[in-house]
Amino acid sequence: MSQSLVRFRARPLVAAVLSTIMLAAVPAAHAQSKKELKISHSAAGDLSSEHHLAAWAFKNYLADNSDTVSARIYPSSALGDERAVFEGMQLGAGASCAVAGTAILNNFSKRVGVIDLPFLWKGYDHMNRTLDGKVGQAIAADLEKSGIKVLAWTNNWGARNVVTAKKTVNTADDLKGLKIRTIQSPIYVETINVMGANATPMSFGEIYTAMQTGVLDGFEHGAAAVVANKLYEVGKNVAITNHFLGPAVFACSMNEWNQLSDTQKKTVMDAAKFASDLNRSLAPIREQEALDFLKDKGMTITTVDTTPFRDKATALQDKIAANIGATDLLAEIRASQ
């Protein structure tokens, strides 16, 4: 057989091989072009955490419904503490999105603080209806000016209570003088101080060690967060005060958001709604489960008469709302009860 004939017959074979290689490369190239959103939160990477569950649901929705956007979760403050993460998001650096309690957002838009006022919400339904309406829309618009895009409002699983390492809190007076960790937010600090304790602002990730070493007498948080982060190992008592039933937020960097196509934006919003719906449906169930779990772990659970705090709450709400320019929003919240 002549060399020219061999070359001629080889050409279709080479072409077929090259075609196969090129077709095989298409999915790989497509995968490489897929935009990955980095989702940060401060809780443990466990589905017993409301923040992790929301991030997990968001990630899986994208995996099932988008060929161009995916998500990777960074739990346990792997990308930095909450404030640093949101500051990075403002600049378009670090995390793409974050799931967090809304109190940290007071540092970026003062009016957010109105939804974290003490003894404000009558329950999950009141909170969710209000945030899905005019109040939530107004706050989201304020945050966009600061470079933060609200995708969905979610729930913290349970009202915040006081957890102590040694002293059992049976009455309002038992809180006096205790060093209680709270969020780095003026509203939270003022509320804990009004309750008689010494508010100690501190990053969430520092609580365990601070309780262990005696730097703190206690901290305030929801029962689900105590379970998810094994804080029952350093806290021995839970005082049911229900001082905050704070919402949470699924938010992204405006810089990242603006890089998405309209189709991608819709899918991302749908993913966030799916995550929010799942998170909200589990809130009352997980709250009770968490309290039962802590009791089984040997924690002492007491119910405190919070009348002395509630009597001061209305005046405190009015004062703070006026200071942050949110008197109109507070009126809307009260009207929606």
Side-chain angles (χ1 to χ4, degrees), residues 90-139:
Q90 284 183 300
L91 300 172
S96 310
C97 308
V99 189
T102 52
I104 197 68
L105 296 178
N106 298 341
N107 296 290
F108 306 98
S109 174
K110 290 181 179 179
R111 277 162 55 91
V112 178
V114 73
I115 60 178
D116 284 304
L117 291 173
F119 304 105
L120 178 67
W121 303 109
K122 299 304 180 184
Y124 292 112
D125 181 62
H126 176 212
M127 181 168 66
N128 294 337
R129 277 188 294 103
T130 304
L131 291 177
D132 288 343
K134 293 179 181 177
V135 172
Q137 293 165 8
I139 292 171

Side-chain angles (χ1 to χ4, degrees), residues 12-274:
L13 178 61
V14 170
V17 170
L18 287 173
S19 176
T20 301
I21 291 171
M22 289 174 70
L23 287 172
V26 168
H30 183 71
Q32 288 175 354
S33 65
K34 202 169 188 177
K35 182 172 183 61
E36 182 181 85
L37 300 176
K38 294 182 286 187
I39 315 298
S40 173
H41 66 75
S42 63
D46 187 290
L47 293 180
S48 63
S49 157
E50 62 266 62
H51 295 341
H52 189 70
L53 178 125
W56 175 86
F58 180 85
K59 173 184 175 179
N60 281 278
Y61 186 95
L62 289 182
D64 290 343
N65 293 279
S66 179
D67 293 326
T68 60
V69 185
S70 65
R72 178 176 295 184
I73 305 170
Y74 294 82
S76 303
S77 301
L79 298 180
D81 66 34
E82 288 181 339
R83 181 163 183 168
V85 164
F86 278 103
E87 287 173 346
M89 285 164 55
Q90 284 183 300
L91 300 172
S96 310
C97 308
V99 189
T102 52
I104 197 68
L105 296 178
N106 298 341
N107 296 290
F108 306 98
S109 174
K110 290 181 179 179
R111 277 162 55 91
V112 178
V114 73
I115 60 178
D116 284 304
L117 291 173
F119 304 105
L120 178 67
W121 303 109
K122 299 304 180 184
Y124 292 112
D125 181 62
H126 176 212
M127 181 168 66
N128 294 337
R129 277 188 294 103
T130 304
L131 291 177
D132 288 343
K134 293 179 181 177
V135 172
Q137 293 165 8
I139 292 171
D142 287 345
L143 285 167
E144 284 196 18
K145 298 171 187 175
S146 298
I148 296 168
K149 171 73 178 178
V150 173
L151 300 184
W153 301 105
T154 63
N155 288 165
N156 281 307
W157 285 344
R160 294 175 83 98
N161 302 300
V162 176
V163 178
T164 52
K166 296 178 181 179
K167 185 175 181 179
T168 302
V169 176
N170 293 296
T171 69
D173 286 342
D174 290 334
L175 276 174
K176 288 181 179 177
L178 296 184
K179 290 179 291 182
I180 302 297
R181 178 270 174 183
T182 191
I183 293 171
Q184 296 158 306
S185 155
I187 292 170
Y188 273 56
V189 169
E190 187 165 358
T191 298
I192 297 306
N193 286 337
V194 163
M195 291 170 69
N198 292 331
T200 307
M202 184 182 292
S203 296
F204 184 83
E206 298 177 49
I207 293 176
Y208 194 103
T209 302
M211 289 282 285
Q212 216 173 22
T213 57
V215 171
L216 292 174
D217 294 312
F219 62 93
E220 53 87 36
H221 220 302
V226 178
V227 172
N229 297 278
K230 297 185 177 181
L231 293 170
Y232 51 82
E233 294 176 351
V234 291
K236 302 304 177 188
N237 310 283
V238 180
I240 304 297
T241 52
N242 293 329
H243 50 280
F244 289 117
L245 179 61
V249 67
F250 202 125
C252 285
S253 159
M254 281 299 297
N255 183 279
E256 291 274 4
W257 176 256
N258 290 332
Q259 292 178 38
L260 300 177
S261 68
D262 288 345
T263 300
Q264 289 173 327
K265 286 177 180 177
K266 183 181 184 307
T267 304
V268 166
M269 289 296 287
D270 289 344
K273 185 179 187 307
F274 174 75

Side-chain angles (χ1 to χ4, degrees), residues 287-306:
E287 180 178 13
Q288 188 56 54
E289 286 177 347
L291 288 170
D292 292 342
F293 179 90
L294 296 179
K295 188 174 181 180
D296 290 343
K297 282 292 182 180
M299 294 192 79
T300 300
I301 299 178
T302 57
T303 300
V304 178
D305 179 3
T306 57

